[in-house]
């Protein structure tokens, strides 16, 4: 008995139960597979969103590091040497220059930032901070007492927004014998207020001595330009 090719094909397509399988096209088959794979049972052990993000980040970092090491003479070791040199340079600059300071004269650099207070008020606050060992705050309050005292004695014109540097320069012209000490006091104030430096008791005592010396200076009509003590 001869069986033709068409008959053989038909027989092959027959299933064991006698049903003829349905010839499903490619697109519906893919959609059916996607629906099946979207079943939560298949994703119980998948990483969460954070873990997937971290995996992507580490892959990106690894690719970046690999590209940089390939472009650096000596490969990975050369890249590590360059990174250590850069870190050392940054640390040396930070140690040498300290925390970046703001340029004097800005509106945020006003000497008096908490409203009008008397020189006595500032001296009282300075003494309270000094007794507690808070030398930064003690230096700040004592410098404010120095400038406020000069304003109260009409040796400085009261001016809102004045900085410590400006006050020292103006007072130094009126009291030239104390000009250097006033500039040093202003620099100390700026260092602890804007430069991230830490004051000590010696710095505070210098300001205290300056405040006392200025209090004893009594310019007259003849000596107002020289600041000669009375």
């Amino acid at each position: 008995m001869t069986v033709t090719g068409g008959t053989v094909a038909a027989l092959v397509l027959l299933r064991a139960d006698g049903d003829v399988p349905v010839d499903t096209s490619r697109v519906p088959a893919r959609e059916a597979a996607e629906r099946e794979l979207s079943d939560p049972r298949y994703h119980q052990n998948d990483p969460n969103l954070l873990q997937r993000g971290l995996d992507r980040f580490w892959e990106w970092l690894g690719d970046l590091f690999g590209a940089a090491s390939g472009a650096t003479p000596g490969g990975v070791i050369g890249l590590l040497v360059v990174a250590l040199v850069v870190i050392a340079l940054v640390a040396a600059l930070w140690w040498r220059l300290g925390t970046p300071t703001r340029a004097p004269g800005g509106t945020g650099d006003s000497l008096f930032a908490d409203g009008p207070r008397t020189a006595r008020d500032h001296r009282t606050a300075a003494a309270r901070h000094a007794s507690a060992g808070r030398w930064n705050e003690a230096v700040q309050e004592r410098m404010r007492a120095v400038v406020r005292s000069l304003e109260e004695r009409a040796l400085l014109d009261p001016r809102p927004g004045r900085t410590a540097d400006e006050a020292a320069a103006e007072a130094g012209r009126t009291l030239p014998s104390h000009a250097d000490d006033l500039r040093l006091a202003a620099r100390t104030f700026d260092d602890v207020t804007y430069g991230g430096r830490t004051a000590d008791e010696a710095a505070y005592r210098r300001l205290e001595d300056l405040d006392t010396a200025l209090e004893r200076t009594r310019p007259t009509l003849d000596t107002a330009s020289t600041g000669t003590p009375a």
Side-chain angles (χ1 to χ4, degrees):
M1 178 178 178
T2 303
V3 182
T4 63
T7 304
V8 173
L11 291 173
V12 172
L13 291 175
L14 289 175
R15 295 174 55 183
D17 57 2
D19 295 335
V20 179
V22 178
D23 186 10
T24 306
S25 63
R26 183 174 300 174
V27 173
R30 184 176 68 249
E31 293 176 348
E34 290 174 352
R35 285 195 299 271
E36 178 66 19
L37 292 175
S38 65
D39 192 313
R41 293 177 301 173
Y42 297 104
H43 303 281
Q44 293 178 355
N45 298 322
D46 287 355
N48 56 33
L49 181 61
L50 176 61
Q51 185 62 48
R52 291 198 298 271
L54 288 175
D55 291 341
R56 291 288 183 87
F57 171 76
W58 289 119
E59 290 176 5
W60 171 82
L61 193 62
D63 294 341
L64 181 64
F65 186 80
S69 62
T72 305
V76 176
I77 296 178
L79 181 62
L80 290 176
V81 171
V82 172
L84 290 175
V85 170
V86 171
I87 293 173
L89 288 175
V90 171
L93 287 174
W94 192 278
W95 177 82
R96 178 66 179 85
L97 301 178
T99 304
T101 61
R102 295 182 290 178
T107 56
D109 292 336
S110 175
L111 181 63
F112 300 101
D114 55 354
R117 295 166 65 191
T118 66
R120 176 176 293 181
D121 291 337
H122 288 296
R123 290 189 183 106
T124 300
R128 184 171 62 251
H129 289 306
S131 64
R134 296 188 295 267
W135 300 116
N136 279 18
E137 292 84 352
V139 162
Q140 291 169 330
E141 288 298 325
R142 200 72 191 202
M143 183 63 191
R144 292 177 180 127
V146 166
V147 176
R148 184 65 79 203
S149 176
L150 294 174
E151 291 178 349
E152 291 173 352
R153 296 167 57 200
L155 297 178
L156 280 180
D157 294 329
R159 179 162 55 84
R162 175 186 275 127
T163 67
D165 293 315
E166 292 170 344
E170 295 170 22
R173 289 192 291 269
T174 304
L175 304 169
S177 61
H178 297 289
D180 291 339
D181 291 335
L182 284 165
R183 282 194 296 269
L184 178 60
R187 176 171 294 183
T188 302
F189 177 89
D190 289 342
D191 284 346
V192 301
T193 305
Y194 312 120
R197 303 298 177 90
T198 301
D200 54 15
E201 183 177 1
Y204 173 72
R205 297 305 174 193
R206 285 194 298 269
L207 261 170
E208 187 179 43
D209 292 342
L210 174 62
D211 189 17
T212 302
L214 291 174
E215 279 290 290
R216 294 172 179 171
T217 302
R218 299 283 185 246
T220 64
L221 293 177
D222 296 331
T223 61
S225 61
T226 61
T228 303

